[in-house]
Amino acid sequence: MSTADNRGGEAKAPWTTLLSVGRVARVMKRRRALALGIALLGGCSNLPGATGPRTPPTPSERTASPDRSLSVADLDVEKADDGHLRVLATVRNRSGTERTRTLRIRILAGDTRTEQRRDVTVAGDTEREVVFDFEDVAYDDFSGDGSLSSTWL
């Protein structure tokens, strides 16, 4: 018994067709094994990994040296002559040298949210009063249910 080949019409014995099918099956098994080996061994390379400490710093370790020598010793509010809100911040310098930092004051009065920033310079071992005039916020609006916060930037 023989079959015709698609290429030239030559006759082949049926057992040669079975051998070629078996060869294809072995090649496919080899390819699957190769793909599986690549997938399993993908992590075994010399590519760079994570660097640095494996744990975060403990609370006793300093991560940065912030300048905390300036502090807001007191915050007060008053009504300006024309009725707007005025914030008075007393800034204290605990170091022996002159320091400058940016102070931000945030106001919430009803639906109005606003803020002002100012660079504040204070001589060593002294304190200074800094005035923030919020002309777009009426003192009466703030005094009923307003809030005030200060932050160093």
Side-chain angles (χ1 to χ4, degrees):
M1 239 168 108
S2 65
T3 60
D5 188 9
N6 288 342
R7 283 182 274 160
E10 299 175 10
K12 286 188 178 181
W15 58 269
T16 58
T17 305
L18 289 175
L19 284 177
S20 64
V21 169
R23 190 176 310 133
V24 170
R26 281 192 307 265
V27 170
M28 292 302 290
K29 284 182 184 178
R30 198 175 319 143
R31 286 182 182 168
R32 282 189 205 129
L34 182 61
L36 181 62
I38 290 172
L40 291 176
L41 296 174
C44 300
S45 67
N46 284 337
L47 294 175
T51 60
R54 297 187 184 271
T55 58
T58 61
S60 64
E61 295 179 54
R62 293 192 130 201
T63 55
S65 57
D67 180 15
R68 299 188 187 271
S69 58
L70 289 182
S71 63
V72 178
D74 188 33
L75 277 176
D76 197 11
V77 294
E78 67 181 22
K79 187 175 188 176
D81 294 336
D82 63 352
H84 70 266
L85 177 67
R86 178 175 289 153
V87 177
L88 307 169
T90 304
V91 178
R92 180 176 299 146
N93 182 356
R94 292 175 288 190
S95 75
T97 59
E98 180 178 274
R99 299 282 189 207
T100 300
R101 289 186 72 189
T102 303
L103 179 60
R104 177 179 63 198
I105 302 290
R106 286 187 170 169
I107 300 292
L108 174 61
D111 293 334
T112 304
R113 293 175 185 246
T114 187
E115 72 177 43
Q116 287 186 14
R117 300 173 185 205
R118 182 146 319 130
D119 289 335
V120 179
T121 302
V122 182
D125 294 321
T126 61
E127 61 182 37
R128 170 183 170 207
E129 188 172 80
V130 183
V131 178
F132 292 85
D133 282 313
F134 289 89
E135 296 176 354
D136 55 339
V137 179
Y139 176 81
D140 294 334
D141 294 342
F142 176 82
S143 64
D145 191 21
S147 66
L148 166 71
S149 67
S150 66
T151 307
W152 291 105
L153 303 177

